[in-house]
Each structure stands twice: as C-alpha cells, then as structure tokens.
Amino acid sequence: MEASGMTFVDRVRSEGGDGACPQRLVLEHVTSRWGNLILIALLDRSYRFSELRRAIGKVSEKMLTQSLQTLERDGLIHRDAKPVIPPRVDYSLTPLGREAAEQVRALAQWVDERMPAVERAREEYDARRA
C-alpha cells in the first residue's frame, strides 16, 4: 500500500482501467516494445541516435524518435544537442531513468532465466487445449 492509501491497481481501477491513469501511461512507456530496449541499452553508456538505432536493431527512425521523445518527456532520458556542424545529439539516462532501466533490466533478466519454465508451461497449455 502506498502513502496515498491506494495501490497502483486501485488507481487504475478508479480511472476505469482506460489508461488515463498517469502511472499506467508511464508504465506503458517504460515497458513498450522499444522503450525497454532503449532504457537497457542506455544503462551501458550514452549513444548517438544512429548508434542507438543499430544497438537496438529493427526499429524505424520514426519509432525510435517517438520513443525517445516520450521517455525524455517522462524525465527518463536526457537529450544533449551540441551546436556543432554536423549536429551531434547524445542520449543518456537521467537519474530517474537509471532507476527505471535497472528495474526493466532485472525483469528482462528474469524472463531470460525463466524462459525454459515458460516454454514448458506453454507446451502443457497447448497440449490441454488440443
């Protein structure tokens, strides 16, 4: 239970579960298809846009731009645009972003470690449904 007396789930329910809850939106940003990969990559070091795109792989320029802007707006990523020619922009984690990235990485590591159990569960489920 949190200081307000309402848990995250309570707040989502009180908003009708429609995603209007601001906590839910941030959770969606952090755990989105590209958001989690961006955060995990930036734990290692700062990246220029093209480097980050290569590090993540298979993300369009548009999606990477949108994801970076969303995470920057949430205060998780710092965008450092240097006034040089050609322009240089570096992306790094803010302290808040580092906290989020460490949590996301822990979840990703858990998934990786537990994947054999998940695969067994899927096979058992599929066999019961067949």
Side-chain angles (χ1 to χ4, degrees):
M1 199 65 109
E2 298 168 13
S4 68
M6 291 182 74
T7 66
F8 173 76
V9 174
D10 291 335
R11 278 193 298 281
V12 171
R13 282 188 190 135
S14 71
E15 298 289 339
D18 64 357
C21 170
Q23 292 86 348
R24 183 173 179 170
L25 292 175
V26 173
L27 184 61
E28 288 175 7
H29 300 160
V30 168
T31 61
S32 70
R33 180 176 184 181
W34 304 114
N36 61 70
L37 296 175
I38 291 167
L39 291 171
I40 292 170
L42 290 174
L43 269 170
D44 295 332
R45 64 181 181 91
S46 64
Y47 280 91
R48 294 180 73 177
F49 184 89
S50 58
E51 292 176 316
L52 186 56
R53 188 170 178 210
R54 282 191 300 274
I56 292 171
K58 298 190 179 184
V59 60
S60 71
E61 187 173 317
K62 178 182 176 183
M63 284 308 305
L64 182 56
T65 298
Q66 288 176 350
S67 297
L68 287 167
Q69 288 173 343
T70 298
L71 294 170
E72 181 183 7
R73 182 170 185 255
D74 288 342
L76 304 177
I77 288 180
H78 174 72
R79 181 180 185 273
D80 182 21
K82 295 181 176 43
V84 295
I85 297 177
R88 180 182 173 106
V89 179
D90 291 299
Y91 295 92
S92 60
L93 294 173
T94 64
L96 187 63
R98 181 158 294 283
E99 285 181 50
E102 288 169 353
Q103 298 297 318
V104 170
R105 180 175 59 187
L107 179 59
Q109 287 170 334
W110 178 86
V111 168
D112 188 47
E113 292 166 3
R114 300 298 186 257
M115 202 58 213
V118 170
E119 288 171 341
R120 279 192 305 277
R122 287 176 175 174
E123 289 168 3
E124 291 169 9
Y125 176 88
D126 291 345
R128 285 192 311 270
R129 305 282 291 179

